Amino acid sequence: MLCVTLLNSLGAHNLTDKISVIIPVYNTGKSALKLILSIVKGSYKNLELIVVDDGSTDDSKQLITEFIRQYNLRFKNQSKPTIKLFSKSNGGASTARNFGLKKITGKYVAFTDSDDSVDPTFYEKLLMALKKYEDLKTRDLKVALAVSGVHYKRLNTRHKKDIYCNEIKGRAPDETFKEYVLRVMYTDGRLYAVSNKLFRADIIQHFNLAFDESMTFAEDTKFTLEYLTAASRVHFNRIEYVLEPLYHYNFGTTTSIVGNSSLSWGNWLKSYQDFIKFAGKKRSKKANQYLNRIYLRWKISHALAVARSSQSFGHKLQHTGLFQLILAEIIIKFRR
């Protein structure tokens, strides 16, 4: 009955370049169905949804299987987004995304989390940004990555806000691509996650890029940095921003909470090493300045993560210093 209800009122189609959308699912079948429906009802139709059931222990796989069956029957003779369901043993989001990368056939790829949602124009507008200068065939205007703003919703407090919709200062003439990326990384968090982005599949495939399956923290940031490194090697050295909150991030679901992995400074430090690797051994004075600012940002973010945890004050002190913890506790009282 749920599948029948969700399948009502799908619209017309407009085919161009194919986008593969990888959606990991672990015990999030109902929210995944709502996400899938919103995607196929959206403005962009040449989509390939790669749904990867990561060893769910509930009825998620059965729900999605039935949805796909009814979807294909109802729109049998129509051009429509395709939905493919794959199953694997449980290994986490990174393993599911890597599994999905082996199945894609699209020219572009997006990573969308099953408990989030997207604006109906999300994929269309990101693709337009990625292809912005394609007809000019200019080496300096080859776009590597398209990034959207985010509608952030904290589920426990129902607090909502739009983030990453402000202008980013453009790359200066004397600024290298790596310096520019590091500057954006310390300025705000819009480049950290992969979910509000559209990537070029050929770059990922040519350089055999994959998520680090050994990481439980900041693996998205590492993948983005490695992707941008690879893109710059083939002269794709521009990032385009869509300054609208097109990706809807739900914070507070069982899969959106980082949990204990964010409490360990060692995990933050390991992530910081990824920035050092990205900057390279022969880096400029400016790059070193940006790295220092990222390190400070990481220290502050770590303290805030510890302060927000549900642990007792004494247990929190095992993860950070007294002064940092008190300051972080004060900050979060005035921040939602």
Side-chain angles (χ1 to χ4, degrees):
M1 187 64 185
L2 176 65
C3 296
V4 174
T5 303
L6 291 175
L7 278 167
N8 290 328
S9 70
L10 296 184
H13 315 307
N14 180 22
L15 300 178
T16 47
D17 292 321
K18 184 189 292 185
I19 298 174
S20 296
V21 182
I22 298 175
I23 306 172
V25 172
Y26 179 70
N27 294 346
T28 52
K30 290 183 179 180
S31 61
L33 287 185
K34 293 176 182 178
L35 169 67
I36 291 168
L37 181 69
S38 70
I39 292 174
V40 299
K41 288 178 67 176
S43 62
Y44 199 79
K45 297 303 179 183
N46 195 8
L47 296 172
E48 169 189 62
L49 277 61
I50 306 292
V51 184
V52 183
D53 179 67
D54 189 36
S56 293
T57 57
D58 64 1
D59 61 351
S60 293
K61 181 180 177 181
Q62 290 77 12
L63 279 173
I64 297 169
T65 299
E66 178 61 15
F67 180 93
I68 295 173
R69 186 187 73 81
Q70 293 188 33
Y71 172 79
N72 288 333
L73 280 175
R74 182 171 296 191
F75 304 98
K76 185 176 181 179
N77 298 318
Q78 298 183 37
S79 298
K80 63 184 185 302
T82 60
I83 310 171
K84 304 174 184 178
L85 174 63
F86 300 93
S87 297
K88 59 179 287 298
S89 58
N90 180 251
S94 289
T95 66
R97 287 168 173 169
N98 287 340
F99 184 96
L101 282 172
K102 296 176 182 178
K103 304 297 182 181
I104 65 172
T105 62
K107 187 174 181 180
Y108 307 96
V109 60
F111 303 96
T112 305
D113 292 339
S114 62
D115 48 10
D116 293 333
S117 59
V118 296
D119 183 271
T121 62
F122 176 70
Y123 302 104
E124 179 183 10
K125 287 181 177 177
L126 283 183
L127 183 58
M128 289 172 61
L130 205 58
K131 295 166 67 71
K132 185 174 181 180
Y133 304 103
E134 205 164 82
D135 293 339
L136 299 179
K137 306 205 180 289
T138 304
R139 178 169 172 167
D140 294 335
L141 294 176
K142 296 171 75 173
V143 182
L145 187 66
V147 184
S148 85
V150 173
H151 178 70
Y152 175 94
K153 181 178 180 180
R154 188 178 284 271
L155 298 180
N156 62 340
T157 63
R158 298 184 181 276
H159 176 64
K160 302 176 183 179
K161 61 180 178 179
D162 295 336
I163 57 177
Y164 310 142
C165 298
N166 57 298
E167 290 276 0
I168 286 283
K169 181 183 176 183
R171 181 178 162 190
D174 62 341
E175 190 174 38
T176 68
F177 181 62
K178 287 189 174 183
E179 289 171 348
Y180 168 73
V181 171
L182 290 173
R183 172 166 62 80
V184 175
M185 285 284 193
Y186 89 74
T187 302
D188 65 31
R190 74 186 68 196
L191 292 186
Y192 298 159
V194 296
S195 52
N196 63 326
K197 298 174 177 60
L198 188 63
F199 297 82
R200 293 182 176 273
D202 54 356
I203 292 176
I204 293 174
Q205 293 165 337
H206 180 76
F207 290 95
N208 295 315
L209 300 179
F211 290 85
D212 188 335
E213 297 179 5
S214 69
M215 296 178 68
T216 58
F217 178 79
E219 62 272 24
D220 281 30
T221 304
K222 181 177 183 180
F223 181 87
T224 301
L225 289 171
E226 290 179 346
Y227 173 84
L228 292 174
T229 297
S232 66
R233 290 176 182 169
V234 287
H235 308 296
F236 282 83
N237 51 14
R238 188 178 181 90
I239 300 172
E240 284 294 316
Y241 305 97
V242 179
L243 303 179
E244 300 176 58
L246 302 180
Y247 190 86
H248 301 170
Y249 173 59
N250 296 319
F251 180 85
T253 66
T254 56
T255 56
S256 68
I257 299 175
V258 176
N260 290 335
S261 61
S262 67
L263 304 183
S264 168
W265 170 242
N267 286 337
W268 290 87
L269 191 58
K270 184 177 180 181
S271 174
Y272 179 69
Q273 296 301 317
D274 293 329
F275 286 97
I276 293 178
K277 183 178 179 180
F278 171 79
K281 294 181 179 179
K282 296 181 179 179
R283 52 185 178 266
S284 66
K285 182 178 179 180
K286 187 182 296 184
N288 279 323
Q289 291 174 346
Y290 293 157
L291 284 171
N292 290 336
R293 292 172 185 176
I294 290 171
Y295 182 84
L296 179 60
R297 183 184 177 101
W298 256 219
K299 289 290 288 184
I300 294 170
S301 297
H302 170 247
L304 291 172
V306 173
R308 288 194 183 101
S309 75
S310 59
Q311 295 187 354
S312 67
F313 191 84
H315 281 95
K316 291 178 182 179
L317 281 175
Q318 296 177 15
H319 301 290
T320 190
L322 178 61
F323 175 76
Q324 292 94 326
L325 181 57
I326 292 174
L327 183 59
E329 295 273 6
I330 293 171
I331 292 173
I332 61 175
K333 286 184 184 297
F334 294 96
R335 288 175 58 179
R336 293 186 178 184

